[in-house]
Amino acid sequence: MDSRLLVHLAVAIDLGSLNRAAQRLNVTQPTLTRSIKIIEDRVGAPVLIRESSGVVATDIGEKLAEKGRAVLSESESADDAVRLWRDGQLSEIRLGLGPLLAATLLPQLTELYMRRKWPYRLRLHSASAAPLIRRLNDHRLDMALAPAQLRLHQERLVQEVVFKDRLKIFAGTKSPLSKPNAKVTRVDLENGNWLIAGARAGIHGTEEEIFQYLGIEPKRIRMAISGDLQIPLHLLKTTDALIALPERLTNAAGDLGGARIIDFDFPEIRRDIALWMRKTDQNRTEYLHFRKVLLEYLEEKQ
């Protein structure tokens, strides 16, 4: 099937509108409509469902759109290569990182990148750990900064711990457990208002397993959040929430408004940050350069 037709279908589905898709593709709407009809004639079934709010894909339409997205991605990669060459850069590193890293340690590293002329472009993507590793496996990312303790498909990946951290329980400013020298009992912890951060990160230990490991059974889990940092940090500053977060990264976020780590004899749970990449890429020149710069930068933060 003509790849151009598949690209037309993919853009129409992703934008949910034939009119917007035609504008994006710089073709007329009748041309785009003909492309869709040619595909449907070839398939023998509809690939789009037309609704009052726009268009949505049928099952076969979505499968064909995936092929169109791959073609479009390859075309955009070629355009990027031309732009990089014109800018005097040899390649690009697509780096994934979690929202807590993006808000704490990485801003200064990006400032360092902006001040120096590195022979590659950085493209940053922030998400929780599980999507980052999936993107790395699918070749949509080149490297990722994500927790070392993951239980995901990693056969093609390697990791190197670059930042050591551990999980701690933080008590919000309105919690009596955040008071200096507060006497904390297991009953206090079990009766607290718990919030789960990184609920779908894919890290070893679900919230139930973590609580079991810590030896507590919370009676209330009020909220679970994934892929966001501002909400749990805001709730620490304004409520009585109890949240399990990486100690060093959370403290690096700045003023917590009086929220404190609970002084209790918990077993240690590691939350080290690793630099992940595909095994086949670990000796590429630009990756080795970025790894060197990253390690030097993070060593100053240890």
Side-chain angles (χ1 to χ4, degrees):
M1 188 176 292
D2 187 340
S3 59
R4 177 180 57 86
L5 301 177
L6 297 176
V7 169
H8 286 187
L9 175 63
V11 174
I13 290 172
D14 290 345
L15 294 182
S17 164
L18 293 179
N19 183 46
R20 289 198 298 272
Q23 294 174 1
R24 173 73 61 83
L25 293 163
N26 197 28
V27 299
T28 65
Q29 187 164 333
T31 297
L32 181 58
T33 301
R34 281 195 298 272
S35 295
I36 303 301
K37 186 176 187 311
I38 291 171
I39 296 174
E40 292 181 331
D41 289 344
R42 177 77 176 272
V43 172
V47 294
L48 291 179
I49 299 174
R50 292 160 175 81
E51 300 179 341
S52 58
S53 58
V55 295
V56 295
T58 62
D59 289 343
I60 183 60
E62 180 57 35
K63 290 181 179 179
L64 293 175
E66 290 178 6
K67 305 296 184 183
R69 293 185 191 105
V71 173
L72 190 59
S73 177
E74 288 296 322
S75 175
E76 291 174 346
S77 295
D79 291 340
D80 285 343
V82 172
R83 284 192 290 269
L84 288 170
W85 177 77
R86 287 175 176 170
D87 292 342
Q89 295 173 310
L90 301 178
S91 62
E92 177 178 81
I93 292 180
R94 297 166 299 175
L95 176 67
L97 60 156
L100 195 51
L101 269 171
T104 54
L105 295 183
L106 265 293
Q108 291 176 332
L109 181 64
T110 56
E111 287 180 17
L112 179 64
Y113 171 80
M114 295 297 291
R115 291 197 300 267
R116 298 182 182 177
K117 189 171 180 62
W118 294 357
Y120 48 83
R121 176 187 298 171
L122 276 179
R123 186 186 295 270
L124 303 179
H125 176 83
S126 179
S128 57
L132 292 180
I133 297 301
R134 285 197 297 269
R135 284 174 172 267
L136 196 55
N137 273 312
D138 294 343
H139 290 256
R140 289 180 288 163
L141 287 175
D142 302 309
M143 308 174 86
L145 284 165
Q149 298 81 13
L150 294 176
R151 49 171 163 206
L152 300 165
H153 298 296
Q154 304 162 12
E155 294 82 1
R156 294 178 293 166
L157 306 180
V158 292
Q159 62 152 278
E160 178 181 4
V161 172
V162 295
F163 189 82
K164 294 183 178 180
D165 209 342
R166 58 187 177 178
L167 204 68
K168 289 289 186 178
I169 305 301
F170 286 79
T173 56
K174 298 294 179 65
S175 170
L177 306 185
S178 69
K179 306 305 179 185
N181 303 317
K183 301 291 185 181
V184 180
T185 69
R186 200 171 301 277
V187 172
D188 293 329
L189 294 172
E190 292 181 340
N191 288 329
N193 285 323
W194 284 89
L195 184 155
I196 304 300
R200 298 185 181 276
I203 302 172
H204 278 306
T206 62
E207 52 262 33
E208 291 83 2
E209 291 169 338
I210 289 174
F211 290 138
Q212 184 178 13
Y213 186 71
L214 296 177
I216 57 178
E217 297 181 9
K219 294 181 171 57
R220 290 188 297 274
I221 298 179
R222 302 292 298 273
M223 192 180 301
I225 301 172
S226 182
D228 186 273
L229 169 66
Q230 297 307 318
I231 293 175
L233 290 184
H234 175 75
L235 292 175
L236 278 180
K237 296 177 183 179
T238 59
T239 73
D240 63 350
L242 301 181
I243 313 176
L245 290 168
E247 178 185 13
R248 296 179 63 204
L249 282 180
T250 303
N251 285 328
D255 179 22
L256 296 179
R260 287 184 174 86
I261 293 174
I262 290 178
D263 183 16
F264 197 83
D265 188 22
F266 290 118
E268 183 176 75
I269 301 179
R270 301 302 306 175
R271 278 296 181 266
D272 302 326
I273 299 298
L275 179 64
W276 293 78
M277 68 182 75
R278 290 179 293 275
K279 293 177 181 178
T280 54
D281 292 336
Q282 57 186 318
N283 292 317
R284 287 180 58 174
T285 302
E286 64 269 39
Y287 293 11
L288 292 173
H289 176 269
F290 179 79
R291 171 187 171 278
K292 178 177 180 293
V293 173
L294 177 68
L295 288 174
E296 290 175 351
Y297 169 76
L298 291 178
E299 187 175 348
E300 299 175 359
K301 304 294 182 182
Q302 297 288 357

